[in-house]
Amino acid sequence: QVTLVESGGASVQAGGSLRLSCALFGDTYSNLYIGWFRRAPGKRREGVAGITSDGSTTYADSVKGRFTISQDNAANTLYLEMNSLRPEDTAMYMCAAAYGRVRGPLLIADDRYNYWGRGTQVTVSS
């Protein structure tokens, strides 16, 4: 079992940058894949980026070239570097994890995850 705690959310202006962090606690030594998701007001939760234990990544088209997912295995921490932020990036950002082997688009499919953090709010103003 794994527990996830996000941090780093803030209010920024369009064009700005933020780095979100997700600390993982528990059994992080097993085969784990991790992802970032977001939910904007009135919208469904959507996958943003995912990463496997061996570093393979997947991004949603809406964030490709602007967001970077990475992990520090020694620190049991997942990151999401967000650049060139837009008002439409405003959302609650959550990290999630699951055990197993998933690649490609399934890395940002929320029904593939069963451990979730509570989220951190990102607000981008124009």
Side-chain angles (χ1 to χ4, degrees):
Q1 189 167 352
V2 63
T3 301
L4 306 100
V5 180
E6 304 92 337
S7 62
S11 294
V12 297
Q13 291 202 328
S17 298
L18 278 177
R19 187 176 80 160
L20 305 183
S21 298
C22 172
L24 287 85
F25 304 92
D27 181 9
T28 60
Y29 298 101
S30 301
N31 200 23
L32 201 65
Y33 56 93
I34 321 167
W36 283 101
F37 294 79
R38 66 186 182 187
R39 178 177 278 148
K43 294 188 178 181
R44 295 181 62 182
R45 185 170 58 194
E46 65 170 338
V48 174
I51 188 167
T52 64
S53 57
D54 63 359
S56 177
T57 59
T58 296
Y59 294 92
D61 289 343
S62 58
V63 306
K64 278 181 184 174
R66 299 188 299 123
F67 290 11
T68 302
I69 188 172
S70 62
Q71 57 188 355
D72 182 339
N73 291 326
N76 290 330
T77 302
L78 176 74
Y79 300 102
L80 184 68
E81 188 77 36
M82 305 187 295
N83 298 311
S84 302
L85 282 162
R86 305 166 180 170
E88 54 264 39
D89 295 318
T90 294
M92 178 70 73
Y93 283 73
M94 299 156 281
C95 58
Y99 297 106
R101 293 185 180 275
V102 166
R103 291 190 182 275
L106 293 178
L107 268 175
I108 52 173
D110 60 358
D111 61 354
R112 293 289 175 165
Y113 290 81
N114 44 19
Y115 298 103
W116 292 84
R118 292 189 175 186
T120 186
Q121 179 67 37
V122 172
T123 302
V124 184
S125 58
S126 56

